[in-house]
């Protein structure tokens, strides 16, 4: 990710992060002060340099997540994402943005997938009580 902006409606409490810092073993804190939390893989898989928050994925089918508490159920999100590969190997490379994340069984997600054939797809999910 190169930039993240989350806004709460209607008071517009804002989480912003330009990733203009150097961090290893995690993403540290957003410009607006909220701490990022990393899940999955090893701490060394997460870093921030040169305006980019990175997830390194050395293994196929290992989920990596970074989250920041927005403090609200309703918000707007703007995310810029890039992959350093043209085609995924072994399994699709996916990037997800979650909203209203209560737990693994209750959330909204928008996801992009790069297939092993080099095709890109978009998916939007709403999961309630574990069901899509």
């Amino acid at each position: 990710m190169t930039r993240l902006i989350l806004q709460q409606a209607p008071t517009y409490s804002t989480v912003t992060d330009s990733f203009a810092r150097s961090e290893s073993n995690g993403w540290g804190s957003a410009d607006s002060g909220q701490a990022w939390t990393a899940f999955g893989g090893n701490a060394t898989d997460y870093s921030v340099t040169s305006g980019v928050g990175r997830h390194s994925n050395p293994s196929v089918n290992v989920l990596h997540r970074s989250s920041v508490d927005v403090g609200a159920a309703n918000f707007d999100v703007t995310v810029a994402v890039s992959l350093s590969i043209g085609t995924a190997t072994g399994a699709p490379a996916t990037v997800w943005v979650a909203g209203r994340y209560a737990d693994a069984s209750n959330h909204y997600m928008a996801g992009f997938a790069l297939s092993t054939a080099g095709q890109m797809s978009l998916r939007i999910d709403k999961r309630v009580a574990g069901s899509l």
Side-chain angles (χ1 to χ4, degrees):
M1 268 187 245
T2 55
R3 182 151 175 83
L4 174 73
I5 301 172
L6 303 172
Q7 292 184 323
Q8 172 189 354
T11 60
Y12 293 99
S13 170
T14 303
V15 175
T16 60
D17 203 342
S18 63
F19 298 101
R21 61 186 175 280
S22 291
E23 297 281 346
S24 58
N25 300 320
W27 281 8
S29 294
D31 297 341
S32 51
Q34 297 84 351
W36 284 97
T37 303
F39 303 92
N42 297 310
T44 56
D45 294 342
Y46 302 87
S47 64
V48 176
T49 56
S50 304
V52 177
R54 286 187 175 83
H55 288 185
S56 296
N57 295 295
S59 301
V60 174
N61 294 325
V62 176
L63 177 66
H64 290 76
R65 294 183 301 167
S66 292
S67 66
V68 64
D69 186 3
V70 178
N74 299 319
F75 57 89
D76 296 327
V77 63
T78 303
V79 179
V81 175
S82 66
L83 297 171
S84 60
I85 57 174
T87 302
T89 302
T94 57
V95 177
W96 293 91
V97 177
R100 290 195 175 188
Y101 188 90
D103 55 43
S105 296
N106 298 282
H107 57 267
Y108 292 88
M109 292 182 78
F112 299 91
L114 176 64
S115 75
T116 56
Q119 297 174 331
M120 196 65 137
S121 62
L122 168 67
R123 178 175 168 172
I124 299 174
D125 291 340
K126 176 183 177 183
R127 185 174 295 267
V128 177
S131 298
L132 289 176

